[in-house]
Coordinates of all heavy atoms in Angstrom, one line a residue:
M18 N 4.5 61.5 -37.8 CA 4.0 62.0 -36.6 C 4.6 63.4 -36.3 O 3.9 64.3 -35.9 CB 4.4 61.0 -35.5 CG 4.2 61.5 -34.1 SD 2.5 61.3 -33.6 CE 2.5 61.8 -31.9
R19 N 5.9 63.5 -36.6 CA 6.6 64.8 -36.4 C 5.9 65.9 -37.3 O 5.7 67.0 -36.8 CB 8.0 64.7 -36.7 CG 8.8 65.9 -36.4 CD 10.3 65.7 -36.6 NE 11.0 66.9 -36.1 CZ 12.2 66.9 -35.9 NH1 13.0 65.9 -36.1 NH2 12.8 68.0 -35.5
Q20 N 5.6 65.6 -38.5 CA 4.9 66.6 -39.4 C 3.6 66.9 -38.9 O 3.1 68.1 -39.0 CB 4.8 66.0 -40.8 CG 6.1 66.0 -41.5 CD 6.0 65.4 -42.9 OE1 5.2 64.5 -43.2 NE2 6.8 65.9 -43.9
A21 N 2.8 66.0 -38.4 CA 1.5 66.3 -37.8 C 1.6 67.2 -36.6 O 0.8 68.1 -36.5 CB 0.8 65.0 -37.4
V22 N 2.6 67.0 -35.8 CA 2.8 67.9 -34.6 C 3.2 69.3 -35.1 O 2.7 70.3 -34.6 CB 3.9 67.3 -33.7 CG1 4.3 68.3 -32.6 CG2 3.4 66.0 -33.1
L23 N 4.1 69.4 -36.1 CA 4.5 70.7 -36.6 C 3.3 71.4 -37.2 O 3.0 72.6 -37.0 CB 5.6 70.5 -37.7 CG 6.1 71.8 -38.3 CD1 6.6 72.8 -37.3 CD2 7.1 71.5 -39.3
F24 N 2.5 70.7 -38.0 CA 1.3 71.2 -38.6 C 0.3 71.7 -37.6 O -0.2 72.8 -37.6 CB 0.6 70.2 -39.5 CG -0.7 70.7 -40.1 CD1 -0.6 71.6 -41.2 CD2 -1.9 70.3 -39.7 CE1 -1.8 72.1 -41.8 CE2 -3.1 70.8 -40.3 CZ -3.0 71.7 -41.3
T25 N 0.1 70.9 -36.5 CA -0.8 71.3 -35.4 C -0.3 72.6 -34.7 O -1.0 73.5 -34.4 CB -0.9 70.2 -34.4 OG1 -1.5 69.0 -35.1 CG2 -1.8 70.5 -33.3
M26 N 1.1 72.6 -34.5 CA 1.6 73.8 -33.8 C 1.5 75.0 -34.7 O 1.2 76.1 -34.2 CB 3.1 73.6 -33.6 CG 3.4 72.6 -32.4 SD 5.1 72.2 -32.2 CE 5.8 73.8 -32.0
T27 N 1.7 74.8 -36.0 CA 1.5 75.9 -37.0 C 0.1 76.5 -36.9 O -0.1 77.7 -36.8 CB 1.9 75.5 -38.4 OG1 3.2 75.1 -38.4 CG2 1.7 76.7 -39.3
I28 N -0.9 75.6 -36.9 CA -2.3 76.0 -36.9 C -2.6 76.7 -35.5 O -3.2 77.8 -35.5 CB -3.2 74.8 -37.1 CG1 -3.0 74.3 -38.5 CG2 -4.7 75.2 -36.9 CD1 -3.3 75.2 -39.6
A29 N -2.1 76.1 -34.5 CA -2.4 76.6 -33.1 C -1.8 78.0 -32.9 O -2.3 78.9 -32.3 CB -1.8 75.6 -32.1
L30 N -0.6 78.2 -33.5 CA 0.1 79.5 -33.3 C -0.4 80.5 -34.3 O 0.0 81.7 -34.3 CB 1.6 79.3 -33.4 CG 2.2 78.5 -32.3 CD1 3.7 78.2 -32.7 CD2 2.1 79.1 -31.0
G31 N -1.2 80.1 -35.3 CA -1.6 81.0 -36.3 C -0.6 81.4 -37.3 O -0.7 82.5 -37.9
L32 N 0.5 80.6 -37.5 CA 1.5 81.0 -38.4 C 1.1 80.6 -39.8 O 0.5 79.6 -40.0 CB 2.8 80.2 -38.0 CG 3.3 80.5 -36.6 CD1 4.5 79.6 -36.3 CD2 3.8 81.9 -36.5
S33 N 1.6 81.4 -40.7 CA 1.3 81.1 -42.2 C 2.4 80.2 -42.7 O 3.6 80.3 -42.4 CB 1.4 82.5 -42.9 OG 1.3 82.2 -44.3
Q34 N 2.0 79.2 -43.5 CA 2.9 78.4 -44.2 C 2.8 78.7 -45.7 O 1.7 78.8 -46.2 CB 2.6 76.9 -44.0 CG 3.0 76.4 -42.7 CD 2.9 74.9 -42.6 OE1 1.9 74.3 -43.0 NE2 3.9 74.2 -42.2
V35 N 4.0 78.9 -46.3 CA 3.9 79.2 -47.8 C 3.6 77.9 -48.5 O 4.2 76.9 -48.3 CB 5.3 79.7 -48.2 CG1 5.4 79.9 -49.7 CG2 5.6 81.0 -47.5
Q36 N 2.6 78.0 -49.3 CA 2.2 76.9 -50.2 C 3.1 76.8 -51.4 O 3.5 77.9 -51.9 CB 0.8 77.1 -50.6 CG 0.2 76.1 -51.6 CD -1.2 76.4 -52.0 OE1 -1.9 77.2 -51.4 NE2 -1.7 75.8 -53.1
A37 N 3.5 75.6 -51.8 CA 4.4 75.5 -53.0 C 3.6 76.0 -54.2 O 2.4 75.7 -54.3 CB 4.8 74.0 -53.1
G38 N 4.3 76.7 -55.0 CA 3.6 77.2 -56.2 C 4.4 76.9 -57.5 O 5.5 76.4 -57.5
D39 N 3.8 77.2 -58.6 CA 4.3 77.0 -59.9 C 4.9 78.3 -60.4 O 4.2 79.3 -60.7 CB 3.1 76.6 -60.9 CG 3.6 76.3 -62.3 OD1 4.5 76.9 -62.8 OD2 2.9 75.5 -62.9
T40 N 6.3 78.3 -60.5 CA 7.0 79.5 -60.9 C 6.6 80.0 -62.3 O 6.4 81.2 -62.5 CB 8.5 79.2 -60.9 OG1 8.9 78.7 -59.6 CG2 9.3 80.5 -61.2
E41 N 6.4 79.2 -63.2 CA 6.0 79.6 -64.6 C 4.6 80.2 -64.6 O 4.4 81.2 -65.2 CB 6.1 78.4 -65.5 CG 6.0 78.8 -67.0 CD 7.1 79.7 -67.5 OE1 8.2 79.7 -67.0 OE2 6.8 80.5 -68.4
A42 N 3.7 79.6 -63.9 CA 2.3 80.2 -63.8 C 2.4 81.5 -63.1 O 1.7 82.4 -63.5 CB 1.4 79.2 -63.0
G43 N 3.2 81.6 -62.0 CA 3.4 82.9 -61.4 C 4.0 84.0 -62.3 O 3.6 85.1 -62.2
K44 N 4.9 83.6 -63.1 CA 5.5 84.5 -64.1 C 4.5 85.1 -65.0 O 4.4 86.3 -65.3 CB 6.6 83.8 -64.9 CG 7.3 84.6 -65.9 CD 8.3 83.8 -66.7 CE 9.0 84.6 -67.8 NZ 10.0 83.9 -68.5
N45 N 3.6 84.2 -65.5 CA 2.5 84.6 -66.5 C 1.5 85.5 -65.8 O 1.1 86.5 -66.3 CB 1.9 83.4 -67.1 CG 2.8 82.6 -68.0 OD1 3.7 83.1 -68.5 ND2 2.5 81.3 -68.1
L46 N 1.2 85.2 -64.5 CA 0.2 86.0 -63.8 C 0.8 87.3 -63.5 O 0.2 88.4 -63.6 CB -0.2 85.2 -62.5 CG -1.3 85.8 -61.6 CD1 -2.6 86.0 -62.4 CD2 -1.5 84.9 -60.4
Y47 N 2.1 87.3 -63.1 CA 2.8 88.6 -62.8 C 2.8 89.5 -64.0 O 2.5 90.7 -64.0 CB 4.2 88.4 -62.3 CG 4.9 89.6 -62.1 CD1 4.8 90.3 -60.8 CD2 5.7 90.3 -63.0 CE1 5.4 91.5 -60.6 CE2 6.3 91.5 -62.8 CZ 6.2 92.1 -61.6 OH 6.7 93.3 -61.3
A48 N 3.2 88.9 -65.2 CA 3.3 89.7 -66.4 C 1.9 90.3 -66.8 O 1.9 91.5 -67.3 CB 3.8 88.8 -67.6
S49 N 0.8 89.6 -66.6 CA -0.5 90.1 -67.0 C -1.2 91.0 -65.9 O -2.1 91.7 -66.3 CB -1.4 89.0 -67.4 OG -1.6 88.1 -66.3
N50 N -0.7 90.9 -64.7 CA -1.4 91.7 -63.7 C -0.6 92.6 -62.8 O -1.1 93.5 -62.2 CB -2.1 90.7 -62.7 CG -3.2 89.9 -63.4 OD1 -4.3 90.5 -63.7 ND2 -3.0 88.7 -63.7
C51 N 0.7 92.4 -62.7 CA 1.5 93.1 -61.7 C 2.6 94.0 -62.4 O 2.9 95.0 -61.8 CB 2.2 92.1 -60.8 SG 1.1 90.9 -60.1
A52 N 3.1 93.6 -63.5 CA 4.2 94.3 -64.2 C 3.9 95.7 -64.5 O 4.8 96.5 -64.6 CB 4.6 93.5 -65.4
Q53 N 2.6 96.0 -64.8 CA 2.2 97.4 -65.2 C 2.7 98.4 -64.1 O 3.0 99.5 -64.4 CB 0.7 97.5 -65.4 CG 0.2 96.7 -66.6 CD -0.1 95.3 -66.2 OE1 0.3 94.7 -65.2 NE2 -0.9 94.6 -67.0
C54 N 2.6 98.0 -62.9 CA 2.9 98.9 -61.8 C 4.3 98.6 -61.2 O 5.1 99.5 -60.9 CB 1.9 98.8 -60.7 SG 0.3 99.4 -61.2
H55 N 4.6 97.4 -60.9 CA 5.8 97.0 -60.3 C 7.0 96.8 -61.2 O 8.1 96.5 -60.8 CB 5.6 95.7 -59.4 CG 4.7 95.9 -58.3 ND1 5.1 96.5 -57.1 CD2 3.4 95.6 -58.1 CE1 4.1 96.6 -56.3 NE2 3.1 96.1 -56.8
G56 N 6.7 96.9 -62.5 CA 7.8 96.9 -63.5 C 8.0 95.5 -64.1 O 7.7 94.5 -63.4
P57 N 8.5 95.3 -65.3 CA 8.6 94.0 -65.9 C 9.6 93.1 -65.2 O 9.5 91.9 -65.3 CB 9.1 94.4 -67.3 CG 9.6 95.8 -67.3 CD 8.9 96.4 -66.1
T58 N 10.5 93.7 -64.4 CA 11.5 92.9 -63.7 C 11.2 92.9 -62.2 O 12.0 92.4 -61.4 CB 13.0 93.4 -63.9 OG1 13.0 94.8 -63.5 CG2 13.3 93.4 -65.4
A59 N 10.1 93.4 -61.8 CA 9.6 93.4 -60.4 C 10.5 94.2 -59.5 O 10.5 94.1 -58.3 CB 9.4 92.0 -59.8
K60 N 11.3 95.2 -60.1 CA 12.2 96.0 -59.3 C 11.5 97.3 -58.9 O 12.2 98.2 -58.3 CB 13.5 96.3 -60.1 CG 14.3 95.0 -60.3 CD 15.6 95.3 -61.0 CE 16.4 94.0 -61.1 NZ 17.6 94.2 -61.9
G61 N 10.2 97.5 -59.2 CA 9.5 98.6 -58.8 C 9.6 99.8 -59.8 O 10.4 99.8 -60.6
M62 N 8.6 100.6 -59.7 CA 8.5 101.8 -60.6 C 7.7 102.9 -59.8 O 6.8 102.6 -59.1 CB 7.7 101.5 -61.9 CG 8.4 100.5 -62.8 SD 7.6 100.1 -64.3 CE 6.2 101.1 -64.5
A63 N 8.2 104.1 -59.9 CA 7.6 105.3 -59.3 C 7.3 104.9 -57.8 O 8.2 104.6 -57.1 CB 6.3 105.7 -60.0
S64 N 6.1 105.0 -57.4 CA 5.7 104.8 -56.0 C 5.4 103.3 -55.7 O 5.1 103.0 -54.6 CB 4.5 105.6 -55.6 OG 3.4 105.2 -56.2
F65 N 5.6 102.5 -56.7 CA 5.3 101.0 -56.5 C 6.6 100.3 -56.1 O 7.6 100.4 -56.9 CB 4.7 100.5 -57.8 CG 3.5 101.2 -58.2 CD1 3.5 102.1 -59.2 CD2 2.3 100.9 -57.5 CE1 2.3 102.8 -59.5 CE2 1.1 101.6 -57.9 CZ 1.1 102.5 -58.9
P66 N 6.6 99.6 -55.0 CA 7.9 99.1 -54.5 C 8.4 97.9 -55.3 O 7.7 97.2 -56.0 CB 7.5 98.6 -53.1 CG 6.0 98.3 -53.2 CD 5.5 99.3 -54.2
S67 N 9.7 97.7 -55.1 CA 10.3 96.5 -55.7 C 9.8 95.2 -54.9 O 9.5 95.3 -53.7 CB 11.9 96.5 -55.5 OG 12.5 95.3 -55.8
L68 N 9.6 94.2 -55.7 CA 9.1 92.9 -55.1 C 10.2 91.9 -55.0 O 10.0 90.8 -54.5 CB 7.9 92.4 -55.9 CG 6.8 93.4 -56.0 CD1 5.7 92.8 -56.9 CD2 6.2 93.8 -54.6
I69 N 11.4 92.3 -55.4 CA 12.6 91.4 -55.4 C 13.2 91.3 -54.0 O 13.3 92.4 -53.3 CB 13.7 91.9 -56.4 CG1 13.1 92.0 -57.8 CG2 14.9 91.1 -56.4 CD1 12.6 90.8 -58.4
G70 N 13.6 90.1 -53.6 CA 14.3 90.0 -52.3 C 13.4 89.9 -51.1 O 13.9 89.9 -50.0
R71 N 12.1 89.9 -51.3 CA 11.2 89.8 -50.2 C 11.1 88.3 -49.8 O 11.1 87.4 -50.6 CB 9.8 90.3 -50.6 CG 9.9 91.7 -51.1 CD 9.1 92.6 -50.2 NE 9.1 93.9 -50.8 CZ 9.0 95.0 -50.0 NH1 8.9 94.9 -48.7 NH2 9.0 96.2 -50.5
D72 N 10.9 88.1 -48.5 CA 10.7 86.8 -48.0 C 9.4 86.2 -48.5 O 8.4 86.9 -48.6 CB 10.7 86.9 -46.4 CG 10.5 85.5 -45.8 OD1 11.5 84.7 -45.8 OD2 9.4 85.3 -45.2
A73 N 9.4 84.9 -48.8 CA 8.2 84.3 -49.3 C 7.0 84.4 -48.4 O 5.9 84.7 -48.8 CB 8.4 82.8 -49.7
D74 N 7.2 84.2 -47.1 CA 6.2 84.4 -46.1 C 5.6 85.8 -46.1 O 4.4 86.0 -46.1 CB 6.7 84.1 -44.7 CG 6.9 82.6 -44.5 OD1 6.2 81.8 -45.0 OD2 7.9 82.3 -43.7
Y75 N 6.4 86.8 -46.3 CA 6.0 88.2 -46.4 C 5.1 88.4 -47.6 O 4.0 89.0 -47.5 CB 7.2 89.1 -46.4 CG 6.8 90.6 -46.6 CD1 6.4 91.4 -45.6 CD2 6.7 91.1 -47.9 CE1 6.0 92.7 -45.8 CE2 6.4 92.4 -48.2 CZ 6.0 93.2 -47.1 OH 5.6 94.5 -47.3
T76 N 5.6 87.9 -48.7 CA 4.8 88.1 -50.0 C 3.5 87.5 -49.9 O 2.4 88.1 -50.2 CB 5.6 87.6 -51.2 OG1 6.9 88.2 -51.3 CG2 4.9 87.7 -52.5
Q77 N 3.4 86.2 -49.5 CA 2.1 85.5 -49.3 C 1.2 86.2 -48.4 O 0.1 86.4 -48.7 CB 2.4 84.1 -48.9 CG 1.1 83.3 -48.7 CD 1.3 81.9 -48.1 OE1 2.3 81.3 -48.5 NE2 0.5 81.4 -47.3
S78 N 1.7 86.6 -47.2 CA 0.9 87.2 -46.2 C 0.4 88.5 -46.7 O -0.8 88.8 -46.5 CB 1.8 87.4 -44.9 OG 1.0 88.2 -44.0
R79 N 1.2 89.3 -47.4 CA 0.8 90.6 -47.8 C -0.3 90.4 -48.9 O -1.3 91.2 -48.9 CB 1.9 91.4 -48.4 CG 1.7 92.8 -48.7 CD 1.1 93.7 -47.6 NE 1.9 93.8 -46.5 CZ 2.6 94.9 -46.1 NH1 2.5 96.0 -46.9 NH2 3.3 95.0 -45.0
L80 N -0.2 89.5 -49.8 CA -1.2 89.3 -50.8 C -2.5 88.8 -50.2 O -3.6 89.2 -50.6 CB -0.7 88.3 -51.9 CG 0.3 88.9 -52.8 CD1 0.9 87.7 -53.7 CD2 -0.3 90.0 -53.7
E81 N -2.4 87.9 -49.2 CA -3.6 87.5 -48.5 C -4.3 88.6 -47.7 O -5.5 88.7 -47.7 CB -3.3 86.3 -47.5 CG -2.9 85.1 -48.2 CD -2.3 84.0 -47.3 OE1 -1.9 84.3 -46.1 OE2 -2.2 82.9 -47.7
T82 N -3.5 89.5 -47.2 CA -4.0 90.7 -46.4 C -4.8 91.6 -47.4 O -5.9 92.0 -47.1 CB -2.9 91.4 -45.7 OG1 -2.3 90.5 -44.8 CG2 -3.4 92.7 -45.0
Y83 N -4.2 91.9 -48.6 CA -4.9 92.7 -49.6 C -6.1 92.0 -50.0 O -7.2 92.7 -50.2 CB -3.9 93.0 -50.7 CG -2.8 94.0 -50.4 CD1 -1.6 93.7 -50.9 CD2 -3.1 95.1 -49.8 CE1 -0.5 94.6 -50.7 CE2 -2.0 96.1 -49.6 CZ -0.8 95.8 -50.0 OH 0.2 96.7 -49.8
R84 N -6.0 90.7 -50.3 CA -7.2 90.0 -50.8 C -8.4 90.1 -49.8 O -9.5 90.2 -50.1 CB -6.8 88.5 -51.0 CG -8.0 87.7 -51.5 CD -7.6 86.3 -51.8 NE -7.2 85.6 -50.6 CZ -6.8 84.3 -50.6 NH1 -6.6 83.6 -51.7 NH2 -6.4 83.8 -49.4
A85 N -8.0 90.1 -48.5 CA -9.1 90.2 -47.4 C -9.6 91.6 -47.3 O -10.6 91.9 -46.5 CB -8.5 89.8 -46.1
G86 N -9.0 92.6 -48.1 CA -9.5 94.0 -48.0 C -9.0 94.8 -46.9 O -9.5 95.9 -46.7
E87 N -7.9 94.3 -46.3 CA -7.3 95.1 -45.2 C -6.2 96.0 -45.7 O -5.4 95.7 -46.6 CB -6.6 94.1 -44.2 CG -7.6 93.1 -43.6 CD -6.9 92.1 -42.7 OE1 -5.8 92.3 -42.1 OE2 -7.4 90.9 -42.7
K88 N -6.3 97.2 -45.2 CA -5.3 98.3 -45.6 C -4.0 98.1 -44.7 O -4.1 98.0 -43.5 CB -5.9 99.7 -45.4 CG -7.1 99.9 -46.3 CD -7.6 101.3 -46.1 CE -8.8 101.5 -47.1 NZ -9.3 102.9 -47.0
V89 N -2.9 98.1 -45.4 CA -1.6 97.9 -44.8 C -0.5 98.9 -45.3 O 0.7 98.8 -44.9 CB -1.1 96.5 -44.8 CG1 -1.9 95.6 -44.0 CG2 -1.0 96.0 -46.3
G90 N -0.9 99.8 -46.1 CA 0.1 100.8 -46.6 C -0.5 101.8 -47.5 O -1.7 101.7 -47.8
A91 N 0.3 102.7 -48.0 CA -0.1 103.8 -48.9 C -0.8 103.3 -50.2 O -1.7 103.9 -50.7 CB 1.1 104.7 -49.2
N92 N -0.3 102.1 -50.7 CA -0.9 101.6 -52.0 C -2.0 100.6 -51.8 O -2.4 99.9 -52.7 CB 0.2 101.0 -52.8 CG 1.1 102.1 -53.4 OD1 0.7 103.2 -53.6 ND2 2.4 101.8 -53.6
S93 N -2.5 100.5 -50.6 CA -3.6 99.5 -50.3 C -4.8 99.7 -51.2 O -5.4 98.7 -51.7 CB -4.0 99.5 -48.8 OG -3.0 99.1 -48.0
G94 N -5.1 100.9 -51.4 CA -6.3 101.2 -52.3 C -6.1 100.7 -53.7 O -7.1 100.4 -54.4
L95 N -4.9 100.6 -54.1 CA -4.6 100.1 -55.5 C -4.5 98.5 -55.4 O -4.9 97.9 -56.4 CB -3.4 100.7 -56.0 CG -3.4 102.2 -56.2 CD1 -2.0 102.7 -56.5 CD2 -4.4 102.6 -57.3
M96 N -4.0 98.0 -54.4 CA -3.7 96.6 -54.3 C -4.9 95.8 -54.0 O -5.1 94.6 -54.5 CB -2.6 96.3 -53.2 CG -1.2 96.6 -53.7 SD -0.7 95.6 -55.2 CE -0.9 93.9 -54.6
I97 N -5.8 96.3 -53.1 CA -7.0 95.5 -52.7 C -7.8 95.0 -53.9 O -8.1 93.8 -54.0 CB -7.8 96.3 -51.6 CG1 -7.0 96.3 -50.3 CG2 -9.1 95.7 -51.4 CD1 -7.5 97.2 -49.2
P98 N -8.2 95.9 -54.8 CA -9.0 95.4 -55.9 C -8.2 94.5 -56.8 O -8.8 93.6 -57.4 CB -9.3 96.7 -56.7 CG -8.9 97.9 -55.9 CD -8.0 97.4 -54.8
N99 N -6.9 94.6 -56.9 CA -6.1 93.7 -57.7 C -5.9 92.3 -57.1 O -5.8 91.3 -57.8 CB -4.7 94.3 -58.0 CG -4.8 95.4 -59.1 OD1 -5.2 95.1 -60.2 ND2 -4.5 96.6 -58.7
A100 N -6.0 92.3 -55.8 CA -5.8 91.0 -55.0 C -7.1 90.3 -54.7 O -7.0 89.1 -54.4 CB -4.9 91.3 -53.8
K101 N -8.2 91.0 -54.8 CA -9.4 90.4 -54.2 C -9.9 89.1 -54.9 O -10.5 88.3 -54.3 CB -10.6 91.4 -54.2 CG -11.2 91.7 -55.5 CD -12.4 92.6 -55.3 CE -13.1 92.8 -56.6 NZ -14.3 93.6 -56.5
N102 N -9.5 88.9 -56.2 CA -9.9 87.7 -56.9 C -8.8 86.7 -57.0 O -9.0 85.7 -57.7 CB -10.4 88.1 -58.3 CG -11.7 88.9 -58.2 OD1 -12.6 88.6 -57.4 ND2 -11.9 89.9 -59.0
L103 N -7.7 86.9 -56.3 CA -6.6 85.9 -56.4 C -7.0 84.7 -55.5 O -7.5 84.8 -54.4 CB -5.3 86.5 -55.8 CG -4.6 87.6 -56.6 CD1 -3.4 88.1 -55.8 CD2 -4.2 87.1 -57.9
S104 N -6.8 83.5 -56.1 CA -7.0 82.3 -55.4 C -5.8 82.0 -54.5 O -4.7 82.6 -54.7 CB -7.3 81.1 -56.4 OG -6.1 80.8 -57.1
D105 N -5.9 81.0 -53.6 CA -4.7 80.5 -52.9 C -3.6 80.1 -53.8 O -2.4 80.3 -53.6 CB -5.1 79.4 -51.9 CG -5.9 79.9 -50.7 OD1 -5.9 81.1 -50.5 OD2 -6.5 79.0 -50.1
E106 N -4.0 79.4 -54.9 CA -3.1 78.9 -55.9 C -2.4 80.1 -56.6 O -1.2 80.0 -56.8 CB -3.8 78.0 -56.9 CG -2.9 77.4 -58.0 CD -3.5 76.5 -58.9 OE1 -4.8 76.5 -59.0 OE2 -2.8 75.8 -59.6
D107 N -3.2 81.1 -57.0 CA -2.6 82.3 -57.6 C -1.5 82.9 -56.7 O -0.4 83.3 -57.2 CB -3.6 83.4 -57.9 CG -4.6 83.0 -59.0 OD1 -4.3 82.1 -59.8 OD2 -5.7 83.5 -59.0
I108 N -1.8 83.0 -55.4 CA -0.9 83.6 -54.5 C 0.3 82.8 -54.3 O 1.5 83.3 -54.3 CB -1.6 83.9 -53.1 CG1 -2.6 85.0 -53.3 CG2 -0.6 84.2 -52.0 CD1 -3.5 85.3 -52.0
A109 N 0.2 81.5 -54.3 CA 1.3 80.5 -54.2 C 2.2 80.7 -55.4 O 3.4 80.7 -55.3 CB 0.8 79.1 -54.0
N110 N 1.6 80.8 -56.6 CA 2.3 80.9 -57.8 C 3.1 82.2 -57.9 O 4.2 82.2 -58.3 CB 1.4 80.7 -59.0 CG 0.8 79.3 -59.1 OD1 1.3 78.4 -58.5 ND2 -0.3 79.2 -59.9
L111 N 2.4 83.3 -57.6 CA 3.1 84.6 -57.6 C 4.2 84.6 -56.6 O 5.3 85.1 -56.8 CB 2.1 85.7 -57.2 CG 1.2 86.2 -58.3 CD1 0.1 87.0 -57.8 CD2 2.0 86.9 -59.4
T112 N 4.0 84.0 -55.4 CA 5.1 83.9 -54.4 C 6.2 83.1 -54.9 O 7.4 83.5 -54.7 CB 4.5 83.4 -53.1 OG1 3.4 84.2 -52.6 CG2 5.5 83.2 -52.0
A113 N 6.0 82.0 -55.5 CA 7.0 81.2 -56.1 C 7.8 81.9 -57.1 O 9.1 81.9 -57.1 CB 6.5 79.9 -56.6
F114 N 7.2 82.6 -58.0 CA 7.8 83.4 -59.0 C 8.7 84.5 -58.4 O 9.9 84.6 -58.7 CB 6.9 84.0 -60.0 CG 7.5 85.0 -61.0 CD1 8.4 84.6 -61.9 CD2 7.1 86.3 -60.9 CE1 9.0 85.5 -62.8 CE2 7.7 87.2 -61.8 CZ 8.6 86.8 -62.7
L115 N 8.1 85.3 -57.6 CA 8.9 86.4 -57.0 C 10.0 85.9 -56.1 O 11.1 86.6 -56.1 CB 7.9 87.3 -56.2 CG 6.9 88.1 -57.1 CD1 5.8 88.7 -56.3 CD2 7.6 89.1 -58.0
S116 N 9.8 84.8 -55.4 CA 10.9 84.3 -54.6 C 12.1 83.7 -55.4 O 13.2 83.6 -54.9 CB 10.3 83.2 -53.7 OG 9.4 83.7 -52.8
S117 N 11.8 83.4 -56.6 CA 12.8 82.8 -57.5 C 13.7 83.9 -58.1 O 14.8 83.6 -58.6 CB 12.2 82.0 -58.6 OG 11.6 82.9 -59.6
K118 N 13.3 85.1 -58.0 CA 14.1 86.2 -58.6 C 15.0 86.8 -57.5 O 14.7 86.8 -56.4 CB 13.1 87.4 -59.0 CG 12.1 86.9 -60.1 CD 11.3 87.9 -60.7 CE 12.0 88.8 -61.6 NZ 12.6 88.3 -62.8
S119 N 16.2 87.2 -58.0 CA 17.2 87.7 -57.0 C 17.6 89.1 -57.4 O 17.4 89.6 -58.4 CB 18.4 86.8 -56.9 OG 19.0 86.6 -58.2

């Protein structure tokens, strides 16, 4: 009952919940799609920011925003095409992988 109330409150408030993801799948997806710009260790390169130490909710929300085609920063033009085909599962996996790094 308590979980149902929390879930209902989350939906009613429009809050995002981080979906559990597969860290290994996220690592593979990162290596093949993200490392070219954000670096092999996700610490950033040139104008591409570090992805280490970000809150999981932030990472998930930002990827969902890019996937929706919304501009939220200077690199939106680069991120939107890269995120547009990500599934919810892909985003969960990337979030799990990035959240596991310190």
Side-chain angles (χ1 to χ4, degrees):
M18 172 80 172
R19 187 176 184 163
Q20 287 179 325
V22 170
L23 180 59
F24 179 74
T25 301
M26 288 174 56
T27 301
I28 298 301
L30 295 173
L32 301 174
S33 174
Q34 282 190 310
V35 175
Q36 176 183 343
D39 180 329
T40 304
E41 191 63 28
K44 178 181 178 181
N45 294 333
L46 188 57
Y47 179 87
S49 63
N50 294 288
C51 311
Q53 296 86 339
C54 295
H55 292 282
T58 60
K60 292 182 180 175
M62 292 180 9
S64 68
F65 303 101
S67 172
L68 303 176
I69 303 298
R71 305 239 182 212
D72 181 70
D74 287 327
Y75 173 86
T76 301
Q77 176 183 325
S78 174
R79 189 53 64 107
L80 287 171
E81 290 170 346
T82 299
Y83 287 135
R84 180 178 64 184
E87 298 173 33
K88 293 181 180 181
V89 290
N92 288 331
S93 293
L95 299 170
M96 282 300 301
I97 290 169
N99 285 296
K101 77 176 187 174
N102 293 319
L103 293 175
S104 67
D105 288 343
E106 182 178 14
D107 292 336
I108 291 174
N110 293 342
L111 283 167
T112 298
F114 169 66
L115 292 168
S116 296
S117 74
K118 301 186 72 59
S119 53

